[in-house]
RNA sequence: UCCCCUGUAGCUCAGCUGGCAGAGCAAGUGGCUGUUAACCACUGGGUCCCUGGUUCGAACCCGGGCGGGGGAGCCA
C-alpha cells in the first residue's frame, strides 16, 4: 500500500478508508482497553494518533512493545473521525511493524520537553522534536519565498564564488583556503610561498558576494545572490555564526529610496508568506517560544516601516540620555541598546536608519552632498537589532578612488571593481540580509544556532 | 576577545555553615473503561566536568584547565 504522509492524511475525509502511514513514534500511551501511538513524520507539526483496540493491541503486542519513543514504524488501519477531543482524525490501527527500534535506555530524546542547549548537543536528532521540525519547515519555506520574491520581480539569480583570491571585501576576518602544508613550512622557519599555493596567491572563503554581484548588476540590471558566507571573527553571541547564508540583491539605476522600498517590500513578503503558509508552525512558536510573535508579525506587514536619518536617530536617543550605558552622540556607532531603543521604544516596530557618518561605514557607499554622511541604510527590528545592511553605491570613479585612498586600502586590489565605474557606470543600490537573522525574526527563536541545522561558530564544528 | 552566571542521575534542577548523594520528569514493572505533557503505585539508576591544593574530612573552599548560557564588541 502507498505510504501517505500525515500532512496528506489530514487533508482527507475520515471515511474509513484503509491507509498506511510511516514515521517515528513520539509517545505511546497504554491502557487496559487501548493503546495510543502518536506518530510524526515531519510533514507537519501535528501527529497522527494511531489507536489499537483491545483485540488489535493483543494481536500486535510484540511490535507495540518495541514501538517506544523514537522508533520508526509502519502502521496500517482505517482513517476515522476521532471520538475524543484533541484531534479531528485518527487511525483505527490494525497492524504495526517496527522498522527500527530506539532503545529507551540510550535514545536521548524523551517524551518530555528538552532544553534547547541540550538539543544543540544532539544536532543529528533534534530535527525529530517539535521545535526543530518547525524551524526546518519554516526555513525551507523562507528560502523558497526569497526566490519567489525576486523571480517575481524579474531579478536574475547570480551564483557568486565561495572561494575568493581577493581579501578586499572588507566585511570581516576571513578563513584562509590553502593546500600548502603551513605547519611544516612554519616548523622549517620559512615563510609560505603563495605562488606555489593552489591558486598561485592567498585565497579565502568569501565574506560577501556583494562586489561580485555588482558586476552582474551592471549588466543585467536587477540581480541577487543567495548563498553561504563565512566570517572568521571570534564572536560568541546568539546573533552571529561563522558560516551563514546571506541574500544580497543589487539593482542598477536604483537610489537609496528604491533600496529602502525593496527591503521593506521584501521583509513584508517573507513575513506574509510565513503567516500564510507556516501557520501551524508559527502558532507553535507563538505558544511555546515567543508569546506575542504572531501579533508582532501581523503588525509588521500592516504598517509602514519607520524611516529616519542617523542624525534624527541620534537626536531621539539624546532625549533619553539616562537610559543608556553608552551615551549617544553624533558620530558614534549605534550600540545594541540604541538599536533596541529605536525599534522598541521610539518606533514600536522595524526602523530604517539612513545617512550614517562616512567614518563608520564602508568605502563603497555613496557620499552625500554634505561630504560627511553616506547613503547607507540599516533595517533594525525589535528583539535583536540589525537585520539588513545596505546602501546606494558610490558610482563616481574619482570619489571612490578618494575613499579607497583615505581608508588606506590598495587601489590595485579593486581594479575590476573600479572598472565598473570606468565603463558605463550607473547609480545602483543593494543590501545584505542574513538569512538566519530573518529566521530568528520570523520564528521568535532567540539563539541563531537554533535556526540553522548545523551551526558553525568558534569552537563549534561538530556534526 | 572582554564581563557576569553556570557544570550534581538519561533530562531539568535542589543540596544550608565543609560531615552518609536528593527531588521532579524520563525509563522499567504492575494497575487503570478512549488516552493525548495521560493518570496511580512500586523499582532500578551517580567518574558530583577534569586537575592540583587546603582540611581529620570537599559536590561545597582555593588555583589552573575544559564545556555550557547570558551580555558586550565586530557585523548580517
Amino acid at each position: 500500500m502507498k505510504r501517505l504522509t500525515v500532512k496528506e492524511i489530514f487533508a482527507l475525509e475520515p471515511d474509513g478508508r484503509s491507509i498506511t502511514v510511516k514515521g517515528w513514534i513520539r509517545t505511546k500511551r497504554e491502557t487496559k482497553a487501548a493503546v495510543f501511538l502518536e506518530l510524526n513524520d515531519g510533514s507537519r507539526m501535528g501527529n497522527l494518533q494511531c489507536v489499537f483496540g483491545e483485540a488489535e493491541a493483543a494481536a500486535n503486542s510484540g511490535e507495540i512493545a518495541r514501538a517506544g519513543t523514537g522508533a520508526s514504524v509502519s502502521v496500517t488501519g482505517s482513517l476515522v473521525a476521532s471520538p475524543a477531543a484533541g484531534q479531528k482524525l485518527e487511525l483505527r490501527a490494525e497492524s504495526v511493524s517496527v522498522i527500527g527500534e530506539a532503545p529507551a535506555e540510550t535514545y536521548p530524546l524523551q517524551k518530555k520537553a528538552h532544553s534547547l542547549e541540550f538539543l544543540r548537543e544532539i544536532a543529528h536528532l533534534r530535527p525529530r522534536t517539535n521545535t526543530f521540525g518547525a524551524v526546518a519547515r519554516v526555513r525551507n519555506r523562507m528560502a523558497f519565498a526569497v526566490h519567489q520574491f525576486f523571480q517575481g520581480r524579474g531579478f536574475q539569480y547570480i551564483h557568486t564564488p565561495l572561494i575568493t583570491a581577493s581579501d578586499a571585501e572588507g566585511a570581516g576576518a576571513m578563513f584562509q583556503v590553502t593546500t600548502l602544508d603551513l605547519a611544516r613550512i612554519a616548523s622549517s622557519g620559512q615563510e609560505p610561498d603563495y605562488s606555489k599555493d593552489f591558486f598561485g596567491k592567498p585565497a579565502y572563503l568569501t565574506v560577501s558576494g556583494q562586489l561580485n554581484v555588482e558586476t552582474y548588476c551592471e549588466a543585467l540590471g536587477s540581480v541577487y545572490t543567495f548563498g553561504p558566507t563565512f566570517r572568521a571573527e571570534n564572536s560568541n553571541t546568539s546573533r552571529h555564526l561563522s558560516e551563514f547564508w546571506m541574500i544580497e540583491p543589487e539593482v542598477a539605476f536604483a537610489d537609496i529610496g528604491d533600496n529602502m522600498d525593496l527591503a521593506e517590500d521584501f521583509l513584508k513578503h517573507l513575513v506574509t508568506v510565513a503567516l500564510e503558509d507556516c501557520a501551524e508552525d508559527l502558532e507553535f512558536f507563538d505558544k511555546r517560544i515567543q508569546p506575542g510573535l504572531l501579533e508582532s508579525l501581523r503588525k509588521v506587514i500592516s504598517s509602514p516601516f519607520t524611516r529616519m536619518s542617523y542624525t534624527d536617530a541620534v537626536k531621539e536617543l539624546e532625549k533619553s540620555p539616562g537610559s543608556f550605558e553608552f551615551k549617544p552622540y553624533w558620530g558614534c556607532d549605534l550600540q545594541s541598546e540604541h538599536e533596541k531603543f529605536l525599534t522598541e521604544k521610539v518606533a514600536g516596530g522595524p526602523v530604517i536608519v539612513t545617512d550614517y557618518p562616512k567614518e563608520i561605514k564602508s568605502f563603497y557607499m555613496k557620499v552625500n552632498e554634505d561630504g560627511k554622511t553616506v547613503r547607507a541604510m540599516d533595517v533594525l527590528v525589535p528583539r535583536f537589532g540589525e537585520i539588513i545592511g545596505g546602501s546606494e553605491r558610490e558610482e563616481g570613479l574619482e570619489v571612490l578612488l578618494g575613499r579607497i585612498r583615505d581608508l588606506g586600502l590598495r587601489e590595485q586590489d579593486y581594479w575590476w571593481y573600479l572598472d565598473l565605474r570606468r565603463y558605463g557606470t550607473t547609480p545602483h543600490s543593494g543590501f545584505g540580509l542574513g538569512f538566519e537573522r530573518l529566521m530568528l525574526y520570523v520564528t521568535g527563536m532567540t539563539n541563531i544556532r537554533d535556526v540553522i541545522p548545523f551551526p558553525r561558530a568558534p569552537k563549534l564544528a561538530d556534526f
Side-chain angles (χ1 to χ4, degrees), chain A residues 177-357:
Chain A
V177 176
T178 183
T179 51
L180 295 177
D181 188 342
L182 295 177
R184 198 154 117 205
I185 293 165
S187 67
S188 70
Q190 292 174 306
E191 290 294 310
D193 177 3
Y194 285 108
S195 69
K196 301 248 169 57
D197 201 354
F198 190 90
F199 296 104
K201 59 175 90 167
Y204 308 89
L205 293 178
T206 186
V207 294
S208 165
Q210 183 198 316
L211 270 45
N212 287 287
V213 89
E214 278 189 50
T215 68
Y216 272 71
C217 165
E218 292 294 271
L220 302 183
S222 295
V223 299
Y224 69 106
T225 77
F226 182 12
T229 49
F230 308 88
R231 305 275 167 96
E233 304 285 357
N234 187 18
S235 48
N236 281 291
T237 82
S238 54
R239 303 184 307 282
H240 293 83
L241 290 166
S242 308
E243 177 183 289
F244 65 100
W245 289 63
M246 189 150 64
I247 299 141
E248 295 173 287
E250 196 74 29
V251 184
F253 311 109
D255 65 18
I256 189 173
D258 301 320
N259 206 23
M260 287 190 278
D261 292 343
L262 183 70
E264 181 169 344
D265 288 352
F266 182 44
L267 277 181
K268 284 180 170 172
H269 175 259
L270 294 169
V271 170
T272 302
V273 168
L275 285 168
E276 284 175 2
D277 289 1
C278 305
E280 209 177 44
D281 292 321
L282 260 52
E283 276 160 26
F284 172 83
F285 291 124
D286 186 71
K287 197 169 153 195
R288 296 289 178 86
I289 303 288
Q290 184 81 239
L293 175 72
L294 286 171
E295 191 193 338
S296 77
L297 289 179
R298 287 191 195 109
K299 202 170 138 201
V300 163
I301 55 179
S302 64
S303 51
F305 291 5
T306 301
R307 300 183 184 191
M308 63 173 76
S309 69
Y310 169 89
T311 302
D312 288 341
V314 171
K315 279 180 190 158
E316 285 290 340
L317 296 172
E318 284 174 334
K319 286 181 194 167
S320 310
S323 22
F324 305 114
E325 187 182 345
F326 294 94
K327 196 176 166 219
Y329 59 93
W330 200 96
C332 77
D333 217 340
L334 295 183
Q335 308 283 318
S336 289
E337 55 176 345
H338 301 151
E339 296 182 346
K340 282 202 177 97
F341 186 86
L342 290 172
T343 56
E344 292 168 12
K345 297 286 194 307
V346 176
V351 180
I352 310 182
V353 179
T354 61
D355 301 295
Y356 284 78

Side-chain angles (χ1 to χ4, degrees), chain A residues 79-156:
Chain A
L79 184 63
V80 299
S82 177
Q87 58 283 314
K88 62 169 185 166
L89 301 177
E90 66 183 31
L91 187 67
R92 187 176 295 153
E94 285 140 25
S95 67
V96 54
S97 62
V98 172
I99 298 164
E101 281 188 75
E105 310 83 60
T106 53
Y107 185 59
L109 292 173
Q110 303 163 358
K111 56 175 187 179
K112 55 168 280 190
H114 291 289
S115 68
L116 297 173
E117 292 80 12
F118 171 67
L119 293 172
R120 250 169 246 155
E121 297 169 6
I122 48 168
H124 59 309
L125 296 173
R126 67 179 183 168
R128 300 185 187 194
T129 64
N130 285 335
T131 302
F132 287 91
V135 167
R137 283 185 295 271
V138 173
R139 187 177 168 109
N140 167 70
R141 189 64 191 87
M142 289 296 94
F144 186 40
V146 166
H147 289 295
Q148 284 179 309
F149 176 83
F150 288 119
Q151 296 292 327
R153 291 176 173 231
F155 283 60
Q156 306 288 327

